Amino acid sequence: MTGMVYTVSQINRMLKGKLDGDPAFQDVFVRGEISNFTHHMKTGHFYFTIKDQSASIKAIMFQWNTRRLRFLPQNGMNVILFGNIQLFERDGICQVNCLDMQPDGVGALAVAFEQLKAKLASRGIFDPAHKRPLPPLPKKIGVVTSKNGAALQDIRQILSRRYPVAELVLFPVLVQGENAPESICAGIAAAQDAGLDVLIVGRGGGSLEDLWAFNDERVALAIYNSSVPVISAVGHEVDVTIADLAADLRAPTPSAAAELAVPDRETILASLADVRERLAQAAGRILEVNQSRCEALAVRLEKNSPENRCRMLADRLDSLKIRLNQQESLLIERPAARLRQNAAKLEALSPLKVLLRGYAAVFDGKQAVSSVSKLEKGDRVSIRFADGSAEAEILAVSPERNEP
């Protein structure tokens, strides 16, 4: 056995030099499926294996590169890596130093959107039970958007036309760029103490990258935790963001958000006119009923009024007077008639009547002598005639026997 003998370190160093110096292994794209994925939480590095049907190779992505990823790699995900092929000299392991990564066949932003959507849905952020109704007649409406964007002008125009009595409060924020999510969260936080009835959060249309600030987890949580009902209005009707799903109500556009936030003035006026008419009809019916009741009460009052009652009592008194006079007449006339009748009877039975017919009455003192047997010869008696009396002496007594 002849030839030069190398140490393991020399071999690995030589292989590393070959790989590092060969342009074919620099700036390469590698397609495969992720497996054995590990996210080292302390350092932020990604460790994984990229494989196809017949082979596999180790890969590493350092923390300063992972921060730029829009999505989180997962086992079984098909991706395309960009980087260079290196040899880990200590262990003699060949690996891909991944500088960037894209999902294979699907955009990174789409993957990131679905991942965040699933994460927040599992936490109940999109639960319909958490959605709050909007106030029917808001007085104060907040808007979290760019102060220079078309969205603000659209909202102002709609509110001035549909519901000019509402007060609009702007919370200007960045709606695009790396610092936009933090700015939007700050705007939502500032709106919590402004005495708002409803809050519109959004911006006008743009690319998926332009709208990406509204697909941030921090923005979704700020909307979910808002004490004020939130309408999300991001982009156009076809654009759906995480903010839309977390809000109490999603509007397809900022203009639509303004229309959803307030009622239409014309509709309110028509409703008021209808209510006014129904109130007038109801008031008319109430007046008619009460008028009828008043008329009935007036009749009863007139019937039971002191004047009418006095008149009734006076009539009754007159009637009683007539009855009293009648009774008085009866009480007087009846005894008088009886008296006259009795007087007539007495007069008919009076001794004077008998005396007038030629008869006389004999008195022994004051006692009438009704029988001859009560007299004796020599008695002095008084004889009463119709026109006077005479004194006499009994000379003889002659009793007579009456035949039966």
Side-chain angles (χ1 to χ4, degrees), residues 133-143 155 158-159 162-163 166 168 197-200 229-231 249 251 253-264:
L134 301 182
L137 297 172
K139 297 179 180 179
K140 198 171 184 180
I141 301 172
V143 179
I155 292 173
I158 296 296
L159 292 181
R162 287 175 59 89
Y163 197 67
L168 181 65
D197 297 306
V198 65
L199 179 63
I200 299 174
V230 176
I231 302 176
L249 182 65
T253 63
S255 298
E259 293 181 354
L260 292 171
V262 298
D264 185 10

PDB file of all heavy atoms in Angstrom, residues 133-143 155 158-159 162-163 166 168 197-200 229-231 249 251 253-264:
ATOM      1  N   PRO A 133     -72.435  43.407  17.941  1.00  0.00           N
ATOM      2  CA  PRO A 133     -73.228  44.182  16.980  1.00  0.00           C
ATOM      3  C   PRO A 133     -72.790  45.643  16.977  1.00  0.00           C
ATOM      4  O   PRO A 133     -72.295  46.165  17.973  1.00  0.00           O
ATOM      5  CB  PRO A 133     -74.662  44.036  17.505  1.00  0.00           C
ATOM      6  CG  PRO A 133     -74.487  43.808  18.976  1.00  0.00           C
ATOM      7  CD  PRO A 133     -73.208  43.011  19.128  1.00  0.00           C
ATOM      8  N   LEU A 134     -72.993  46.303  15.855  1.00  0.00           N
ATOM      9  CA  LEU A 134     -72.656  47.717  15.746  1.00  0.00           C
ATOM     10  C   LEU A 134     -73.801  48.559  16.312  1.00  0.00           C
ATOM     11  O   LEU A 134     -74.970  48.183  16.211  1.00  0.00           O
ATOM     12  CB  LEU A 134     -72.415  48.102  14.291  1.00  0.00           C
ATOM     13  CG  LEU A 134     -71.300  47.340  13.562  1.00  0.00           C
ATOM     14  CD1 LEU A 134     -71.163  47.881  12.146  1.00  0.00           C
ATOM     15  CD2 LEU A 134     -69.986  47.442  14.304  1.00  0.00           C
ATOM     16  N   PRO A 135     -73.491  49.701  16.924  1.00  0.00           N
ATOM     17  CA  PRO A 135     -74.558  50.575  17.422  1.00  0.00           C
ATOM     18  C   PRO A 135     -75.376  51.118  16.256  1.00  0.00           C
ATOM     19  O   PRO A 135     -74.826  51.473  15.211  1.00  0.00           O
ATOM     20  CB  PRO A 135     -73.792  51.694  18.146  1.00  0.00           C
ATOM     21  CG  PRO A 135     -72.433  51.697  17.529  1.00  0.00           C
ATOM     22  CD  PRO A 135     -72.141  50.271  17.171  1.00  0.00           C
ATOM     23  N   PRO A 136     -76.701  51.210  16.401  1.00  0.00           N
ATOM     24  CA  PRO A 136     -77.537  51.650  15.275  1.00  0.00           C
ATOM     25  C   PRO A 136     -77.347  53.114  14.912  1.00  0.00           C
ATOM     26  O   PRO A 136     -77.461  53.485  13.749  1.00  0.00           O
ATOM     27  CB  PRO A 136     -78.960  51.367  15.764  1.00  0.00           C
ATOM     28  CG  PRO A 136     -78.851  51.368  17.247  1.00  0.00           C
ATOM     29  CD  PRO A 136     -77.495  50.838  17.577  1.00  0.00           C
ATOM     30  N   LEU A 137     -77.067  53.965  15.911  1.00  0.00           N
ATOM     31  CA  LEU A 137     -76.928  55.409  15.665  1.00  0.00           C
ATOM     32  C   LEU A 137     -75.651  55.916  16.343  1.00  0.00           C
ATOM     33  O   LEU A 137     -75.695  56.546  17.400  1.00  0.00           O
ATOM     34  CB  LEU A 137     -78.148  56.154  16.201  1.00  0.00           C
ATOM     35  CG  LEU A 137     -79.493  55.808  15.554  1.00  0.00           C
ATOM     36  CD1 LEU A 137     -80.622  56.482  16.313  1.00  0.00           C
ATOM     37  CD2 LEU A 137     -79.505  56.232  14.093  1.00  0.00           C
ATOM     38  N   PRO A 138     -74.481  55.622  15.761  1.00  0.00           N
ATOM     39  CA  PRO A 138     -73.225  56.041  16.393  1.00  0.00           C
ATOM     40  C   PRO A 138     -73.044  57.558  16.357  1.00  0.00           C
ATOM     41  O   PRO A 138     -73.409  58.220  15.382  1.00  0.00           O
ATOM     42  CB  PRO A 138     -72.157  55.334  15.540  1.00  0.00           C
ATOM     43  CG  PRO A 138     -72.804  55.182  14.199  1.00  0.00           C
ATOM     44  CD  PRO A 138     -74.264  54.944  14.476  1.00  0.00           C
ATOM     45  N   LYS A 139     -72.495  58.089  17.427  1.00  0.00           N
ATOM     46  CA  LYS A 139     -72.226  59.528  17.499  1.00  0.00           C
ATOM     47  C   LYS A 139     -70.764  59.845  17.168  1.00  0.00           C
ATOM     48  O   LYS A 139     -70.471  60.927  16.663  1.00  0.00           O
ATOM     49  CB  LYS A 139     -72.561  60.047  18.895  1.00  0.00           C
ATOM     50  CG  LYS A 139     -74.029  59.902  19.278  1.00  0.00           C
ATOM     51  CD  LYS A 139     -74.265  60.424  20.680  1.00  0.00           C
ATOM     52  CE  LYS A 139     -75.729  60.284  21.074  1.00  0.00           C
ATOM     53  NZ  LYS A 139     -75.972  60.759  22.457  1.00  0.00           N
ATOM     54  N   LYS A 140     -69.881  58.896  17.480  1.00  0.00           N
ATOM     55  CA  LYS A 140     -68.451  59.164  17.313  1.00  0.00           C
ATOM     56  C   LYS A 140     -67.807  57.944  16.664  1.00  0.00           C
ATOM     57  O   LYS A 140     -67.864  56.844  17.205  1.00  0.00           O
ATOM     58  CB  LYS A 140     -67.833  59.457  18.678  1.00  0.00           C
ATOM     59  CG  LYS A 140     -66.490  60.155  18.627  1.00  0.00           C
ATOM     60  CD  LYS A 140     -66.080  60.590  20.036  1.00  0.00           C
ATOM     61  CE  LYS A 140     -64.776  61.377  20.023  1.00  0.00           C
ATOM     62  NZ  LYS A 140     -64.372  61.805  21.383  1.00  0.00           N
ATOM     63  N   ILE A 141     -67.174  58.153  15.505  1.00  0.00           N
ATOM     64  CA  ILE A 141     -66.603  57.056  14.723  1.00  0.00           C
ATOM     65  C   ILE A 141     -65.106  57.295  14.577  1.00  0.00           C
ATOM     66  O   ILE A 141     -64.679  58.372  14.144  1.00  0.00           O
ATOM     67  CB  ILE A 141     -67.256  56.972  13.329  1.00  0.00           C
ATOM     68  CG1 ILE A 141     -68.767  56.755  13.475  1.00  0.00           C
ATOM     69  CG2 ILE A 141     -66.624  55.863  12.504  1.00  0.00           C
ATOM     70  CD1 ILE A 141     -69.510  56.862  12.170  1.00  0.00           C
ATOM     71  N   GLY A 142     -64.311  56.298  14.949  1.00  0.00           N
ATOM     72  CA  GLY A 142     -62.867  56.377  14.797  1.00  0.00           C
ATOM     73  C   GLY A 142     -62.402  55.664  13.542  1.00  0.00           C
ATOM     74  O   GLY A 142     -62.998  54.688  13.108  1.00  0.00           O
ATOM     75  N   VAL A 143     -61.297  56.163  12.963  1.00  0.00           N
ATOM     76  CA  VAL A 143     -60.719  55.553  11.762  1.00  0.00           C
ATOM     77  C   VAL A 143     -59.221  55.406  11.982  1.00  0.00           C
ATOM     78  O   VAL A 143     -58.516  56.395  12.227  1.00  0.00           O
ATOM     79  CB  VAL A 143     -60.989  56.397  10.502  1.00  0.00           C
ATOM     80  CG1 VAL A 143     -60.354  55.727   9.283  1.00  0.00           C
ATOM     81  CG2 VAL A 143     -62.479  56.589  10.279  1.00  0.00           C
ATOM     82  N   ILE A 155     -64.107  57.417   3.178  1.00  0.00           N
ATOM     83  CA  ILE A 155     -64.914  57.307   4.400  1.00  0.00           C
ATOM     84  C   ILE A 155     -65.550  58.649   4.733  1.00  0.00           C
ATOM     85  O   ILE A 155     -66.745  58.728   5.073  1.00  0.00           O
ATOM     86  CB  ILE A 155     -64.049  56.795   5.570  1.00  0.00           C
ATOM     87  CG1 ILE A 155     -63.641  55.332   5.315  1.00  0.00           C
ATOM     88  CG2 ILE A 155     -64.784  56.920   6.897  1.00  0.00           C
ATOM     89  CD1 ILE A 155     -62.647  54.787   6.311  1.00  0.00           C
ATOM     90  N   ILE A 158     -68.511  59.373   2.344  1.00  0.00           N
ATOM     91  CA  ILE A 158     -69.710  58.569   2.621  1.00  0.00           C
ATOM     92  C   ILE A 158     -70.409  59.066   3.879  1.00  0.00           C
ATOM     93  O   ILE A 158     -71.645  59.212   3.916  1.00  0.00           O
ATOM     94  CB  ILE A 158     -69.330  57.080   2.766  1.00  0.00           C
ATOM     95  CG1 ILE A 158     -68.772  56.533   1.438  1.00  0.00           C
ATOM     96  CG2 ILE A 158     -70.530  56.263   3.219  1.00  0.00           C
ATOM     97  CD1 ILE A 158     -69.763  56.541   0.310  1.00  0.00           C
ATOM     98  N   LEU A 159     -69.645  59.347   4.939  1.00  0.00           N
ATOM     99  CA  LEU A 159     -70.252  59.787   6.196  1.00  0.00           C
ATOM    100  C   LEU A 159     -70.946  61.136   6.039  1.00  0.00           C
ATOM    101  O   LEU A 159     -72.025  61.359   6.592  1.00  0.00           O
ATOM    102  CB  LEU A 159     -69.193  59.866   7.300  1.00  0.00           C
ATOM    103  CG  LEU A 159     -68.595  58.535   7.771  1.00  0.00           C
ATOM    104  CD1 LEU A 159     -67.589  58.782   8.881  1.00  0.00           C
ATOM    105  CD2 LEU A 159     -69.677  57.586   8.249  1.00  0.00           C
ATOM    106  N   ARG A 162     -74.240  60.295   4.041  1.00  0.00           N
ATOM    107  CA  ARG A 162     -75.236  59.428   4.662  1.00  0.00           C
ATOM    108  C   ARG A 162     -75.616  59.852   6.073  1.00  0.00           C
ATOM    109  O   ARG A 162     -76.778  59.733   6.475  1.00  0.00           O
ATOM    110  CB  ARG A 162     -74.709  57.981   4.708  1.00  0.00           C
ATOM    111  CG  ARG A 162     -74.688  57.276   3.375  1.00  0.00           C
ATOM    112  CD  ARG A 162     -74.044  55.906   3.511  1.00  0.00           C
ATOM    113  NE  ARG A 162     -74.728  55.040   4.447  1.00  0.00           N
ATOM    114  CZ  ARG A 162     -75.719  54.224   4.136  1.00  0.00           C
ATOM    115  NH1 ARG A 162     -76.157  54.171   2.882  1.00  0.00           N
ATOM    116  NH2 ARG A 162     -76.276  53.453   5.043  1.00  0.00           N
ATOM    117  N   TYR A 163     -74.624  60.344   6.841  1.00  0.00           N
ATOM    118  CA  TYR A 163     -74.882  60.562   8.269  1.00  0.00           C
ATOM    119  C   TYR A 163     -73.987  61.689   8.778  1.00  0.00           C
ATOM    120  O   TYR A 163     -73.039  61.473   9.534  1.00  0.00           O
ATOM    121  CB  TYR A 163     -74.594  59.263   9.017  1.00  0.00           C
ATOM    122  CG  TYR A 163     -75.182  59.172  10.404  1.00  0.00           C
ATOM    123  CD1 TYR A 163     -76.554  59.103  10.591  1.00  0.00           C
ATOM    124  CD2 TYR A 163     -74.368  59.121  11.528  1.00  0.00           C
ATOM    125  CE1 TYR A 163     -77.094  58.993  11.854  1.00  0.00           C
ATOM    126  CE2 TYR A 163     -74.898  59.009  12.799  1.00  0.00           C
ATOM    127  CZ  TYR A 163     -76.263  58.944  12.951  1.00  0.00           C
ATOM    128  OH  TYR A 163     -76.812  58.833  14.208  1.00  0.00           O
ATOM    129  N   ALA A 166     -72.527  62.464  12.594  1.00  0.00           N
ATOM    130  CA  ALA A 166     -71.502  61.695  13.310  1.00  0.00           C
ATOM    131  C   ALA A 166     -70.169  62.446  13.312  1.00  0.00           C
ATOM    132  O   ALA A 166     -69.813  63.112  12.331  1.00  0.00           O
ATOM    133  CB  ALA A 166     -71.325  60.323  12.667  1.00  0.00           C
ATOM    134  N   LEU A 168     -66.147  62.325  13.237  1.00  0.00           N
ATOM    135  CA  LEU A 168     -65.099  61.433  12.737  1.00  0.00           C
ATOM    136  C   LEU A 168     -63.786  61.777  13.424  1.00  0.00           C
ATOM    137  O   LEU A 168     -63.358  62.936  13.442  1.00  0.00           O
ATOM    138  CB  LEU A 168     -64.956  61.589  11.220  1.00  0.00           C
ATOM    139  CG  LEU A 168     -63.897  60.699  10.554  1.00  0.00           C
ATOM    140  CD1 LEU A 168     -64.283  59.237  10.682  1.00  0.00           C
ATOM    141  CD2 LEU A 168     -63.747  61.075   9.088  1.00  0.00           C
ATOM    142  N   ASP A 197     -67.956  55.037  19.427  1.00  0.00           N
ATOM    143  CA  ASP A 197     -69.035  54.061  19.320  1.00  0.00           C
ATOM    144  C   ASP A 197     -68.662  52.919  18.385  1.00  0.00           C
ATOM    145  O   ASP A 197     -69.142  51.798  18.552  1.00  0.00           O
ATOM    146  CB  ASP A 197     -70.305  54.736  18.807  1.00  0.00           C
ATOM    147  CG  ASP A 197     -70.816  55.794  19.768  1.00  0.00           C
ATOM    148  OD1 ASP A 197     -71.020  55.455  20.943  1.00  0.00           O
ATOM    149  OD2 ASP A 197     -70.989  56.945  19.348  1.00  0.00           O
ATOM    150  N   VAL A 198     -67.828  53.187  17.405  1.00  0.00           N
ATOM    151  CA  VAL A 198     -67.381  52.168  16.453  1.00  0.00           C
ATOM    152  C   VAL A 198     -66.035  52.605  15.888  1.00  0.00           C
ATOM    153  O   VAL A 198     -65.740  53.803  15.820  1.00  0.00           O
ATOM    154  CB  VAL A 198     -68.428  51.970  15.328  1.00  0.00           C
ATOM    155  CG1 VAL A 198     -68.552  53.228  14.490  1.00  0.00           C
ATOM    156  CG2 VAL A 198     -68.093  50.781  14.454  1.00  0.00           C
ATOM    157  N   LEU A 199     -65.224  51.624  15.481  1.00  0.00           N
ATOM    158  CA  LEU A 199     -63.872  51.893  14.981  1.00  0.00           C
ATOM    159  C   LEU A 199     -63.680  51.185  13.650  1.00  0.00           C
ATOM    160  O   LEU A 199     -63.938  49.988  13.533  1.00  0.00           O
ATOM    161  CB  LEU A 199     -62.823  51.408  15.992  1.00  0.00           C
ATOM    162  CG  LEU A 199     -61.351  51.602  15.614  1.00  0.00           C
ATOM    163  CD1 LEU A 199     -61.025  53.090  15.488  1.00  0.00           C
ATOM    164  CD2 LEU A 199     -60.436  50.947  16.657  1.00  0.00           C
ATOM    165  N   ILE A 200     -63.219  51.945  12.629  1.00  0.00           N
ATOM    166  CA  ILE A 200     -62.901  51.388  11.310  1.00  0.00           C
ATOM    167  C   ILE A 200     -61.388  51.282  11.196  1.00  0.00           C
ATOM    168  O   ILE A 200     -60.670  52.271  11.404  1.00  0.00           O
ATOM    169  CB  ILE A 200     -63.462  52.272  10.182  1.00  0.00           C
ATOM    170  CG1 ILE A 200     -64.984  52.373  10.285  1.00  0.00           C
ATOM    171  CG2 ILE A 200     -63.065  51.726   8.820  1.00  0.00           C
ATOM    172  CD1 ILE A 200     -65.602  53.345   9.283  1.00  0.00           C
ATOM    173  N   PRO A 229     -66.387  48.152  19.149  1.00  0.00           N
ATOM    174  CA  PRO A 229     -66.652  47.306  17.975  1.00  0.00           C
ATOM    175  C   PRO A 229     -65.826  47.776  16.770  1.00  0.00           C
ATOM    176  O   PRO A 229     -65.740  48.966  16.492  1.00  0.00           O
ATOM    177  CB  PRO A 229     -68.154  47.488  17.742  1.00  0.00           C
ATOM    178  CG  PRO A 229     -68.689  47.877  19.072  1.00  0.00           C
ATOM    179  CD  PRO A 229     -67.631  48.683  19.740  1.00  0.00           C
ATOM    180  N   VAL A 230     -65.229  46.807  16.067  1.00  0.00           N
ATOM    181  CA  VAL A 230     -64.289  47.116  14.982  1.00  0.00           C
ATOM    182  C   VAL A 230     -64.848  46.623  13.652  1.00  0.00           C
ATOM    183  O   VAL A 230     -65.301  45.480  13.535  1.00  0.00           O
ATOM    184  CB  VAL A 230     -62.910  46.470  15.240  1.00  0.00           C
ATOM    185  CG1 VAL A 230     -61.975  46.730  14.054  1.00  0.00           C
ATOM    186  CG2 VAL A 230     -62.300  47.031  16.522  1.00  0.00           C
ATOM    187  N   ILE A 231     -64.775  47.524  12.643  1.00  0.00           N
ATOM    188  CA  ILE A 231     -65.048  47.142  11.258  1.00  0.00           C
ATOM    189  C   ILE A 231     -63.709  47.127  10.531  1.00  0.00           C
ATOM    190  O   ILE A 231     -62.993  48.128  10.522  1.00  0.00           O
ATOM    191  CB  ILE A 231     -65.997  48.135  10.569  1.00  0.00           C
ATOM    192  CG1 ILE A 231     -67.317  48.250  11.313  1.00  0.00           C
ATOM    193  CG2 ILE A 231     -66.242  47.714   9.125  1.00  0.00           C
ATOM    194  CD1 ILE A 231     -68.253  49.294  10.739  1.00  0.00           C
ATOM    195  N   LEU A 249     -66.873  42.990  12.254  1.00  0.00           N
ATOM    196  CA  LEU A 249     -67.546  43.004  10.959  1.00  0.00           C
ATOM    197  C   LEU A 249     -66.518  43.314   9.888  1.00  0.00           C
ATOM    198  O   LEU A 249     -65.670  44.190  10.071  1.00  0.00           O
ATOM    199  CB  LEU A 249     -68.663  44.062  10.939  1.00  0.00           C
ATOM    200  CG  LEU A 249     -69.489  44.153   9.661  1.00  0.00           C
ATOM    201  CD1 LEU A 249     -70.285  42.864   9.446  1.00  0.00           C
ATOM    202  CD2 LEU A 249     -70.433  45.349   9.712  1.00  0.00           C
ATOM    203  N   ALA A 251     -65.795  44.655   6.080  1.00  0.00           N
ATOM    204  CA  ALA A 251     -66.326  45.414   4.956  1.00  0.00           C
ATOM    205  C   ALA A 251     -65.421  45.173   3.747  1.00  0.00           C
ATOM    206  O   ALA A 251     -64.199  45.133   3.890  1.00  0.00           O
ATOM    207  CB  ALA A 251     -66.380  46.899   5.279  1.00  0.00           C
ATOM    208  N   THR A 253     -64.641  47.129   1.322  1.00  0.00           N
ATOM    209  CA  THR A 253     -63.845  48.312   1.005  1.00  0.00           C
ATOM    210  C   THR A 253     -64.019  49.335   2.119  1.00  0.00           C
ATOM    211  O   THR A 253     -64.981  49.256   2.905  1.00  0.00           O
ATOM    212  CB  THR A 253     -64.298  48.955  -0.324  1.00  0.00           C
ATOM    213  OG1 THR A 253     -65.647  49.390  -0.182  1.00  0.00           O
ATOM    214  CG2 THR A 253     -64.189  47.965  -1.484  1.00  0.00           C
ATOM    215  N   PRO A 254     -63.151  50.333   2.210  1.00  0.00           N
ATOM    216  CA  PRO A 254     -63.348  51.406   3.196  1.00  0.00           C
ATOM    217  C   PRO A 254     -64.669  52.147   2.998  1.00  0.00           C
ATOM    218  O   PRO A 254     -65.320  52.529   3.968  1.00  0.00           O
ATOM    219  CB  PRO A 254     -62.142  52.325   2.951  1.00  0.00           C
ATOM    220  CG  PRO A 254     -61.080  51.412   2.423  1.00  0.00           C
ATOM    221  CD  PRO A 254     -61.806  50.422   1.577  1.00  0.00           C
ATOM    222  N   SER A 255     -65.070  52.371   1.744  1.00  0.00           N
ATOM    223  CA  SER A 255     -66.355  53.033   1.494  1.00  0.00           C
ATOM    224  C   SER A 255     -67.506  52.194   2.054  1.00  0.00           C
ATOM    225  O   SER A 255     -68.446  52.727   2.676  1.00  0.00           O
ATOM    226  CB  SER A 255     -66.555  53.257  -0.003  1.00  0.00           C
ATOM    227  OG  SER A 255     -65.558  54.115  -0.520  1.00  0.00           O
ATOM    228  N   ALA A 256     -67.433  50.887   1.830  1.00  0.00           N
ATOM    229  CA  ALA A 256     -68.469  49.999   2.354  1.00  0.00           C
ATOM    230  C   ALA A 256     -68.469  50.006   3.884  1.00  0.00           C
ATOM    231  O   ALA A 256     -69.529  49.889   4.514  1.00  0.00           O
ATOM    232  CB  ALA A 256     -68.266  48.586   1.830  1.00  0.00           C
ATOM    233  N   ALA A 257     -67.284  50.138   4.491  1.00  0.00           N
ATOM    234  CA  ALA A 257     -67.211  50.208   5.953  1.00  0.00           C
ATOM    235  C   ALA A 257     -67.969  51.419   6.481  1.00  0.00           C
ATOM    236  O   ALA A 257     -68.686  51.338   7.480  1.00  0.00           O
ATOM    237  CB  ALA A 257     -65.752  50.261   6.401  1.00  0.00           C
ATOM    238  N   ALA A 258     -67.815  52.561   5.795  1.00  0.00           N
ATOM    239  CA  ALA A 258     -68.540  53.763   6.217  1.00  0.00           C
ATOM    240  C   ALA A 258     -70.048  53.560   6.081  1.00  0.00           C
ATOM    241  O   ALA A 258     -70.827  54.000   6.932  1.00  0.00           O
ATOM    242  CB  ALA A 258     -68.083  54.951   5.379  1.00  0.00           C
ATOM    243  N   GLU A 259     -70.479  52.882   5.017  1.00  0.00           N
ATOM    244  CA  GLU A 259     -71.901  52.624   4.828  1.00  0.00           C
ATOM    245  C   GLU A 259     -72.445  51.670   5.882  1.00  0.00           C
ATOM    246  O   GLU A 259     -73.581  51.803   6.336  1.00  0.00           O
ATOM    247  CB  GLU A 259     -72.143  52.059   3.431  1.00  0.00           C
ATOM    248  CG  GLU A 259     -71.863  53.066   2.318  1.00  0.00           C
ATOM    249  CD  GLU A 259     -72.141  52.486   0.951  1.00  0.00           C
ATOM    250  OE1 GLU A 259     -72.433  51.275   0.874  1.00  0.00           O
ATOM    251  OE2 GLU A 259     -72.076  53.242  -0.039  1.00  0.00           O
ATOM    252  N   LEU A 260     -71.611  50.696   6.286  1.00  0.00           N
ATOM    253  CA  LEU A 260     -72.046  49.744   7.308  1.00  0.00           C
ATOM    254  C   LEU A 260     -72.042  50.376   8.702  1.00  0.00           C
ATOM    255  O   LEU A 260     -72.808  49.962   9.576  1.00  0.00           O
ATOM    256  CB  LEU A 260     -71.131  48.520   7.310  1.00  0.00           C
ATOM    257  CG  LEU A 260     -71.209  47.619   6.072  1.00  0.00           C
ATOM    258  CD1 LEU A 260     -70.099  46.579   6.123  1.00  0.00           C
ATOM    259  CD2 LEU A 260     -72.566  46.933   5.991  1.00  0.00           C
ATOM    260  N   ALA A 261     -71.211  51.385   8.907  1.00  0.00           N
ATOM    261  CA  ALA A 261     -71.065  51.971  10.240  1.00  0.00           C
ATOM    262  C   ALA A 261     -72.228  52.868  10.612  1.00  0.00           C
ATOM    263  O   ALA A 261     -72.547  53.026  11.801  1.00  0.00           O
ATOM    264  CB  ALA A 261     -69.761  52.763  10.325  1.00  0.00           C
ATOM    265  N   VAL A 262     -72.865  53.484   9.597  1.00  0.00           N
ATOM    266  CA  VAL A 262     -73.918  54.454   9.905  1.00  0.00           C
ATOM    267  C   VAL A 262     -75.160  54.168   9.070  1.00  0.00           C
ATOM    268  O   VAL A 262     -75.071  53.576   7.997  1.00  0.00           O
ATOM    269  CB  VAL A 262     -73.435  55.901   9.620  1.00  0.00           C
ATOM    270  CG1 VAL A 262     -72.265  56.257  10.501  1.00  0.00           C
ATOM    271  CG2 VAL A 262     -73.065  56.071   8.145  1.00  0.00           C
ATOM    272  N   PRO A 263     -76.322  54.587   9.544  1.00  0.00           N
ATOM    273  CA  PRO A 263     -77.540  54.446   8.745  1.00  0.00           C
ATOM    274  C   PRO A 263     -77.611  55.537   7.681  1.00  0.00           C
ATOM    275  O   PRO A 263     -76.866  56.528   7.734  1.00  0.00           O
ATOM    276  CB  PRO A 263     -78.655  54.607   9.782  1.00  0.00           C
ATOM    277  CG  PRO A 263     -78.050  55.490  10.820  1.00  0.00           C
ATOM    278  CD  PRO A 263     -76.583  55.137  10.885  1.00  0.00           C
ATOM    279  N   ASP A 264     -78.490  55.363   6.722  1.00  0.00           N
ATOM    280  CA  ASP A 264     -78.685  56.354   5.678  1.00  0.00           C
ATOM    281  C   ASP A 264     -79.647  57.432   6.174  1.00  0.00           C
ATOM    282  O   ASP A 264     -80.712  57.140   6.718  1.00  0.00           O
ATOM    283  CB  ASP A 264     -79.256  55.672   4.425  1.00  0.00           C
ATOM    284  CG  ASP A 264     -79.365  56.643   3.256  1.00  0.00           C
ATOM    285  OD1 ASP A 264     -78.828  57.759   3.369  1.00  0.00           O
ATOM    286  OD2 ASP A 264     -79.986  56.287   2.244  1.00  0.00           O
TER     287      ASP A 264
END
